[in-house]
Amino acid sequence: MYELTMDLKTDSRTPLYEQIYSYIKKDIQSGRIARGEKLPSTRALSKHLEVSRSTAVLAYEQLLSEGFIESEPYRGFFAAQIGDLYHLEPVKEKEQKKEAREKKYRYDFTPNGVDLNSFPYQVWRKLSRDILMDDRTELFRSGNSQGEYGFRNAVCNYLYQARGVNCTPDQIIIGAGSDYLFMLLAMILGTHHKIAFEDPTYKQAYRLADSLSYERVPVSMDKDGIMVTELSKTDADIAYVTPSHQYPSGIIMPMKRRLELLRWAREHKGRYIVEDDYDSEFRYKGKPIPALQGYDRKEKVIYLGTFSKSIAPAIRLSYMVLPKPLLHIYHERYRFVNSTVSKVDQFIVQRFLEEGYYERHLNKMRALYKGRHDTLIEALKPLSDICRISGEHGGVHLLLTFEQGRQEEELILQAEKRGIRVYGLNDYRIRKDSTDKPTVLLGYANLSEEQLKSAAQILIECWGFSGRRPGIMI
Amino acid sequence: MYELTMDLKTDSRTPLYEQIYSYIKKDIQSGRIARGEKLPSTRALSKHLEVSRSTAVLAYEQLLSEGFIESEPYRGFFAAQIGDLYHLEPVKEKEQKKEAREKKYRYDFTPNGVDLNSFPYQVWRKLSRDILMDDRTELFRSGNSQGEYGFRNAVCNYLYQARGVNCTPDQIIIGAGSDYLFMLLAMILGTHHKIAFEDPTYKQAYRLADSLSYERVPVSMDKDGIMVTELSKTDADIAYVTPSHQYPSGIIMPMKRRLELLRWAREHKGRYIVEDDYDSEFRYKGKPIPALQGYDRKEKVIYLGTFSKSIAPAIRLSYMVLPKPLLHIYHERYRFVNSTVSKVDQFIVQRFLEEGYYERHLNKMRALYKGRHDTLIEALKPLSDICRISGEHGGVHLLLTFEQGRQEEELILQAEKRGIRVYGLNDYRIRKDSTDKPTVLLGYANLSEEQLKSAAQILIECWGFSGRRPGIMI
């Protein structure tokens, strides 16, 4: 019989039974223990290795459960045929092809920032620990394709209280990000539609609509948002809008325009409004205006929302509220499509909402962003004679519109030369026009008040006098 | 000045500062503390409430951070304007509309079962704890739309070693489930294709193809799988196949047929094979045959795989390996679509793979399922004279094919009357045909060996003699 000799490290962090298991496993894999060879009894093994009997038993049980050895009643343990067992060599990471290296900036005014230093790590750890606490098979069984009911109920309550959205949990579909929900919506609506987009708009959705082979038509905006008069002249039957805080202009659509928009939708059967309420959580003056969906009495509004802006981009949790006719189509024909969100994530965010953490987090972020918002506006005052600030009082970015004569690209380049990244409105325009006033976006979510002050100072230097002096200055 | 009086519970699990915070917050929300009203200094508060100074400071900091109070240098703390702060009432769960109640069965032979009692809960807890350990902002920043490189690298290593898949991490796209990846693939391929499906097939994919408005054509199978001769007669340019373990027939496609299939794909530009390798992890006889993708030298195979069967349905992690030409299209035009999988989940599974847990888990599940597989076959022996067993040696279900004369529905009903749920092959057939032999599927992943024995005994009773006696027996 095979004689096991191994030096066990009693001081190791790996338990003894684990060491014995690994040792025998290696010998079986290497063939040092041939198939069918008899192994010592647990008693003999424990005696031989001077370990407790239970340690030997544990080691054998592990080997049994993974199929490396077989037990025969009254005869003992034998090495199994392991030719067909998995044996995966750890392979070290391949060298990743470096993406074209990003330029380094001292300050980046990205309009899509989220301050992750304020992410509620401690609460998140606690909640996920609690949820994984016991061995709940239910946690890993495939779930409701629409999202877990309890979570949808929590989202429903939040949307009603915070956004005035009128719906039942049954109307809510949970998805791993707004892009996915748009793809699902495309199945429900079909692609034989023409979608009108605000111009400028959220390009991600605009590109996605194209990828889903929708016809698209841009519609101009005035100070109140999308121009319904122009919209009516198009043959679009779906309007994709961001009324609570237009992206990127920051315009908040007044009630009158909202009602015109709803009227447009009612005028023809099959018309719908997609309301993307992506960042309405952050308003610094007065209460947020309720969502358009809340005023819809004719089942015309498809409401989209996400936790990416309000909690964190990487948690991949968005929601869609379907009007009844589309909900019916979904239930009849597309409910078979499996959910894209893990139950664990749904349960974590459900408790985050239900136990008051979300309310606290929103108020905290709001206070934080408001401070940065106020600081940046104050710091930019010296530019007031050459540009107009807009998009304030909400969201996490401002717009600076300059008089013509200046070039948007030039302004961006001047800032870049001083190590500051700003973003041009042209990237968001569908139609470019020589009469467009040069406009740059300044996002402040990722910069501290101190950083905002010094960055603004530099912008004042390179823009303020660039009439008189060249853009490059030290 | 406002005089704070509250009774603090020193024995409560809620820390003192938290109690003070909640109390003042409630008074501000209720208006008991008017906007602009001055609050006691932290010193006065701590004296008054007989708590430490730092406790009072903590409470005020919390209130400040959430915007309930404001501090004015040298003047102290004042109640803020809170009209526009979030205040969400906890709402208790609405009564959920009960779905049409599921029939109760004593034994359910579902072919889609996964034994979740064997889910590695302890390891999962450990890994997620480790990953959430420190406040890593990077964890919640939006990630690579294709999936994190490190995770793709780990999947790549696994696929090469366990499945013989030839690819680089760059070719892998991670997605929240196979349904989503199919939707993404539809964008990459476009929908102007006709997809050939094995008949019988995996209906989920068949329905999804329809929802994505693909033309579909069924192709018959012989003992070696999909008949390439028949496939060639169709005008399909895409073939959706499950060669390693055909679903649901369990046929393992021999090499000769695989090469015929690859030849079919090479014959015309633009032809592709979608290889769904959904459950190849479980083979009970010999090594798993390498994936079809591994034999493809002409960039013709799109490989799909998932962790739903091998780990758990609810973790929503699948992967797709794109051939170079399609990868190019993806990079050029669709990389902007955001990832559907949270980074945390990706990191957990990455370490699960890299630290050997997956290998151990697979071997353990394989041993477990093999035991159930052998037990069920043994227990069904008495039926051998009236039906033929197939689909053995792999996967987690068997097929019993009966001679004609019997009706599939009748067999299912007879079992149902005795509290046993079995599944008819007709649910998987695209074309029904009177010459089809009645066939039932028996999945064994969710039943213990004891349960399988007693369930099999009952099936023998209600099927074995049902020629002579009526199906219902006590």
Side-chain angles (χ1 to χ4, degrees):
Chain A
M1 148 159 49
Y2 172 72
E3 179 67 69
L4 287 162
T5 46
M6 57 189 93
D7 58 340
L8 301 174
K9 296 179 183 42
T10 45
D11 56 347
S12 153
R13 283 182 60 254
T14 324
L16 285 174
Y17 86 90
E18 181 87 23
Q19 295 182 45
I20 301 173
Y21 152 84
S22 315
Y23 188 92
I24 298 179
K25 174 182 166 186
K26 210 182 298 95
D27 275 3
I28 292 177
Q29 284 173 332
S30 69
R32 263 200 65 213
I33 307 180
R35 177 193 181 177
E37 189 164 345
K38 190 170 193 307
L39 278 78
S41 68
T42 52
R43 179 188 304 279
L45 186 69
S46 58
K47 193 153 161 298
H48 178 73
L49 298 175
E50 290 161 341
V51 297
S52 77
R53 179 80 178 274
S54 57
T55 303
V57 172
L58 271 175
Y60 276 12
E61 278 174 353
Q62 185 72 44
L63 289 163
L64 271 173
S65 76
E66 293 180 27
F68 287 99
I69 65 174
E70 285 155 358
S71 104
E72 293 184 22
Y74 314 114
R75 293 198 49 230
F77 298 98
F78 299 82
Q81 159 69 285
I82 55 96
D84 43 11
L85 285 187
Y86 283 98
H87 177 44
L88 306 176
E89 291 295 341
V91 182
K92 67 183 222 327
E93 187 151 327
K94 293 185 187 59
E95 190 47 52
Q96 175 169 17
K97 278 209 229 72
K98 283 274 157 289
E99 314 268 319
R101 258 179 75 265
E102 278 274 305
K103 288 206 207 70
K104 278 270 151 290
Y105 292 90
R106 272 159 75 195
Y107 303 110
D108 186 341
F109 279 100
T110 173
N112 308 316
V114 173
D115 180 18
L116 289 173
N117 299 315
S118 314
F119 181 83
Y121 293 96
Q122 217 180 332
V123 172
W124 212 259
R125 272 191 289 271
K126 177 191 177 304
L127 292 179
S128 59
R129 199 169 50 239
D130 292 357
I131 282 157
L132 289 171
M133 189 72 77
D134 353 80
D135 301 3
R136 291 161 54 198
T137 57
E138 167 253 356
L139 211 53
F140 295 97
R141 193 162 289 125
S142 57
N144 186 314
S145 57
Q146 214 175 321
E148 297 311 294
Y149 186 85
F151 179 50
R152 282 184 279 133
N153 184 66
V155 171
C156 185
N157 290 335
Y158 165 70
L159 288 179
Y160 178 71
Q161 293 188 57
R163 306 294 305 124
V165 169
N166 277 315
C167 69
T168 64
D170 309 297
Q171 285 174 269
I172 298 177
I173 299 176
I174 304 300
S178 307
D179 291 354
Y180 165 73
L181 286 176
F182 202 151
M183 289 161 75
L184 182 63
L185 182 60
M187 286 209 268
I188 298 168
L189 285 170
T191 51
H192 313 297
H193 297 278
K194 185 177 259 188
I195 307 182
F197 282 85
E198 301 159 326
D199 186 8
T201 189
Y202 176 50
K203 278 287 181 78
Q204 182 81 2
Y206 186 72
R207 293 177 66 183
L208 197 51
D210 183 45
S211 305
L212 295 164
S213 56
Y214 278 107
E215 276 192 88
R216 304 164 300 170
V217 52
V219 175
S220 314
M221 294 196 298
D222 59 18
K223 64 174 201 354
D224 291 343
I226 189 168
M227 294 170 70
V228 178
T229 46
E230 188 179 314
L231 172 62
S232 311
K233 296 199 186 80
T234 71
D235 54 350
D237 54 355
I238 293 173
Y240 177 96
V241 293
T242 51
S244 302
H245 187 242
Q246 205 275 339
Y247 194 79
S249 74
I251 291 171
I252 292 149
M253 189 183 288
M255 192 53 61
K256 184 166 176 301
R257 183 64 55 92
R258 290 173 185 239
L259 298 178
E260 286 170 32
L261 194 55
L262 287 170
R263 197 173 311 118
W264 167 85
R266 284 200 307 270
E267 276 165 3
H268 287 285
K269 197 168 160 310
R271 278 186 182 172
Y272 286 103
I273 298 167
V274 178
E275 175 180 26
D276 187 346
D277 205 23
Y278 68 104
D279 84 342
S280 53
E281 290 82 6
F282 304 121
R283 291 267 299 139
Y284 313 126
K285 204 175 158 194
K287 273 191 179 313
I289 307 184
L292 186 61
Q293 198 271 4
Y295 299 99
D296 172 27
R297 297 282 167 274
K298 301 287 183 200
E299 306 287 338
K300 285 297 186 179
V301 176
I302 299 154
Y303 180 88
L304 283 174
T306 178
F307 290 107
S308 306
K309 293 265 171 192
S310 56
I311 303 182
I315 58 168
R316 316 312 299 131
L317 258 177
S318 297
Y319 39 87
M320 171 164 69
V321 180
L322 288 178
K324 303 254 167 44
L326 295 181
L327 183 68
H328 182 71
I329 296 174
Y330 168 75
H331 280 159
E332 290 296 303
R333 299 174 47 192
Y334 304 107
R335 205 184 343 201
F336 76 92
V337 179
N338 287 309
S339 169
T340 46
V341 185
S342 79
K343 278 189 186 175
V344 173
D345 287 357
Q346 294 186 56
F347 290 149
I348 291 176
V349 179
Q350 178 178 345
R351 288 189 49 182
F352 194 73
L353 288 166
E354 289 176 345
E355 295 171 21
Y357 297 113
Y358 193 47
E359 171 188 327
R360 286 168 73 148
H361 180 66
L362 286 180
N363 286 327
K364 188 174 160 206
M365 298 310 286
R366 193 181 154 290
L368 184 79
Y369 289 150
K370 182 181 191 313
R372 294 176 182 181
H373 165 271
D374 298 349
T375 303
L376 182 58
I377 289 180
E378 179 60 30
L380 291 173
K381 277 229 173 84
L383 288 177
S384 54
D385 55 345
I386 58 165
C387 68
R388 189 175 53 80
I389 293 182
S390 63
E392 66 273 55
H393 306 315
V396 291
H397 74 273
L398 299 172
L399 294 88
L400 302 189
T401 306
F402 292 76
E403 281 315 308
Q404 276 167 36
R406 298 221 179 194
Q407 293 303 320
E408 208 169 280
E409 298 64 26
E410 183 201 351
L411 293 161
I412 295 167
L413 196 65
Q414 288 171 333
E416 185 180 317
K417 286 182 178 142
R418 300 294 303 274
I420 300 187
R421 184 168 196 180
V422 299
Y423 297 75
L425 187 58
N426 279 333
D427 298 344
Y428 301 84
R429 296 186 197 276
I430 301 170
R431 299 162 299 189
K432 311 263 184 297
D433 179 339
S434 58
T435 68
D436 293 333
K437 288 184 174 174
T439 306
V440 295
L441 280 67
L442 300 182
Y444 46 81
N446 272 340
L447 298 168
S448 71
E449 299 190 11
E450 281 323 303
Q451 292 174 312
L452 289 166
K453 281 178 195 159
S454 18
Q457 189 45 48
I458 300 173
L459 290 178
I460 290 163
E461 288 170 17
C462 61
W463 290 341
F465 316 101
S466 58
R468 263 162 274 146
R469 310 194 219 153
I472 309 142
M473 312 174 49
I474 312 310
Chain B
M1 146 157 49
Y2 172 70
E3 179 66 68
L4 287 163
T5 45
M6 55 189 93
D7 58 338
L8 301 174
K9 298 182 182 38
T10 44
D11 56 348
S12 153
R13 283 181 63 253
T14 323
L16 284 174
Y17 85 89
E18 182 87 22
Q19 294 182 47
I20 301 173
Y21 152 84
S22 314
Y23 189 92
I24 300 179
K25 175 180 165 185
K26 210 181 301 96
D27 275 3
I28 292 177
Q29 285 173 330
S30 69
R32 263 201 66 213
I33 307 179
R35 178 193 180 181
E37 189 165 342
K38 191 172 194 305
L39 277 79
S41 68
T42 53
R43 178 187 306 278
L45 186 69
S46 59
K47 194 154 159 302
H48 177 71
L49 298 176
E50 290 162 340
V51 298
S52 76
R53 180 77 178 275
S54 58
T55 303
V57 172
L58 272 175
Y60 277 14
E61 277 174 355
Q62 185 73 47
L63 289 163
L64 271 173
S65 76
E66 294 179 27
F68 287 100
I69 64 174
E70 284 155 358
S71 106
E72 292 184 21
Y74 313 115
R75 294 198 48 230
F77 299 99
F78 298 82
Q81 159 68 286
I82 54 92
D84 44 11
L85 285 186
Y86 282 98
H87 177 44
L88 304 177
E89 292 295 340
V91 182
K92 68 185 225 318
E93 186 152 328
K94 293 185 185 59
E95 192 46 54
Q96 173 169 17
K97 277 209 227 75
K98 283 275 158 286
E99 316 267 322
R101 258 178 78 264
E102 279 272 306
K103 287 207 205 69
K104 278 273 150 286
Y105 292 90
R106 271 159 75 195
Y107 302 111
D108 185 342
F109 278 100
T110 173
N112 307 316
V114 173
D115 179 23
L116 289 174
N117 299 314
S118 314
F119 181 83
Y121 293 97
Q122 216 181 332
V123 172
W124 213 259
R125 272 191 288 270
K126 177 191 177 304
L127 293 179
S128 60
R129 200 169 49 240
D130 292 358
I131 282 157
L132 289 170
M133 189 72 78
D134 350 85
D135 300 2
R136 291 162 55 198
T137 57
E138 167 253 356
L139 210 54
F140 295 97
R141 193 162 288 125
S142 57
N144 186 315
S145 56
Q146 214 175 322
E148 298 311 295
Y149 186 85
F151 179 50
R152 281 185 280 133
N153 184 67
V155 170
C156 184
N157 291 333
Y158 164 70
L159 288 179
Y160 177 72
Q161 294 188 56
R163 307 294 304 125
V165 169
N166 277 313
C167 69
T168 65
D170 310 296
Q171 286 174 268
I172 297 177
I173 298 176
I174 304 300
S178 307
D179 292 354
Y180 166 73
L181 286 176
F182 201 152
M183 288 160 77
L184 182 63
L185 181 61
M187 286 208 262
I188 298 168
L189 286 169
T191 51
H192 314 296
H193 297 278
K194 185 177 256 185
I195 307 182
F197 282 85
E198 301 159 325
D199 185 10
T201 189
Y202 176 49
K203 278 289 180 75
Q204 181 81 2
Y206 186 72
R207 292 176 67 183
L208 197 50
D210 182 45
S211 304
L212 294 165
S213 54
Y214 278 107
E215 276 192 87
R216 303 165 299 170
V217 52
V219 176
S220 314
M221 295 195 297
D222 60 17
K223 66 175 202 349
D224 291 344
I226 189 167
M227 294 171 69
V228 177
T229 46
E230 187 178 317
L231 172 62
S232 310
K233 295 199 186 80
T234 71
D235 55 351
D237 54 355
I238 294 174
Y240 178 95
V241 293
T242 51
S244 303
H245 186 242
Q246 205 274 337
Y247 193 78
S249 73
I251 291 171
I252 293 149
M253 190 184 286
M255 192 53 61
K256 184 166 175 302
R257 182 64 55 92
R258 290 172 185 241
L259 298 177
E260 286 170 31
L261 195 54
L262 287 170
R263 198 175 309 115
W264 168 85
R266 284 199 309 270
E267 276 166 1
H268 287 284
K269 197 168 160 309
R271 278 186 182 170
Y272 286 103
I273 297 167
V274 178
E275 175 180 26
D276 188 345
D277 205 21
Y278 67 105
D279 84 341
S280 54
E281 288 82 6
F282 304 121
R283 289 269 298 139
Y284 313 125
K285 204 175 158 194
K287 273 191 178 317
I289 307 182
L292 187 61
Q293 197 270 5
Y295 300 98
D296 171 28
R297 297 282 167 274
K298 300 288 183 200
E299 306 287 339
K300 285 296 186 180
V301 175
I302 298 153
Y303 179 89
L304 283 174
T306 178
F307 290 108
S308 306
K309 294 264 173 195
S310 57
I311 304 181
I315 59 169
R316 317 312 300 132
L317 258 176
S318 298
Y319 39 88
M320 172 164 67
V321 180
L322 288 178
K324 301 254 165 45
L326 295 180
L327 183 68
H328 182 71
I329 297 174
Y330 168 74
H331 280 158
E332 290 297 302
R333 300 174 47 193
Y334 303 108
R335 206 186 338 202
F336 75 92
V337 179
N338 287 308
S339 169
T340 46
V341 185
S342 79
K343 277 190 186 174
V344 173
D345 287 357
Q346 294 185 57
F347 290 148
I348 291 177
V349 179
Q350 178 177 346
R351 287 189 49 183
F352 193 72
L353 288 167
E354 289 176 346
E355 295 172 20
Y357 297 113
Y358 193 47
E359 172 188 325
R360 287 167 74 148
H361 179 66
L362 286 179
N363 286 327
K364 189 174 158 207
M365 296 312 285
R366 193 181 153 290
L368 183 79
Y369 289 150
K370 182 180 190 312
R372 295 176 180 180
H373 165 271
D374 298 348
T375 303
L376 182 58
I377 290 180
E378 179 62 30
L380 291 173
K381 278 232 172 85
L383 287 177
S384 55
D385 53 346
I386 58 165
C387 68
R388 190 174 53 79
I389 293 183
S390 64
E392 66 275 53
H393 306 316
V396 291
H397 74 272
L398 299 172
L399 293 87
L400 302 190
T401 306
F402 292 76
E403 282 315 307
Q404 276 167 34
R406 297 218 181 198
Q407 293 304 320
E408 208 168 282
E409 297 65 25
E410 183 200 350
L411 293 162
I412 295 166
L413 196 66
Q414 288 169 335
E416 186 180 315
K417 287 183 179 139
R418 298 292 304 274
I420 300 186
R421 185 170 195 178
V422 299
Y423 297 76
L425 186 58
N426 279 333
D427 298 344
Y428 301 84
R429 296 186 198 277
I430 300 171
R431 300 163 298 190
K432 313 265 184 295
D433 180 340
S434 58
T435 67
D436 294 332
K437 288 185 175 172
T439 306
V440 295
L441 281 68
L442 301 182
Y444 45 81
N446 272 339
L447 299 168
S448 72
E449 299 191 12
E450 281 323 303
Q451 292 174 311
L452 288 167
K453 282 178 196 159
S454 19
Q457 189 45 49
I458 300 173
L459 289 178
I460 291 162
E461 287 168 19
C462 61
W463 289 341
F465 315 99
S466 56
R468 263 163 275 145
R469 309 194 220 151
I472 311 143
M473 309 176 50
I474 312 311

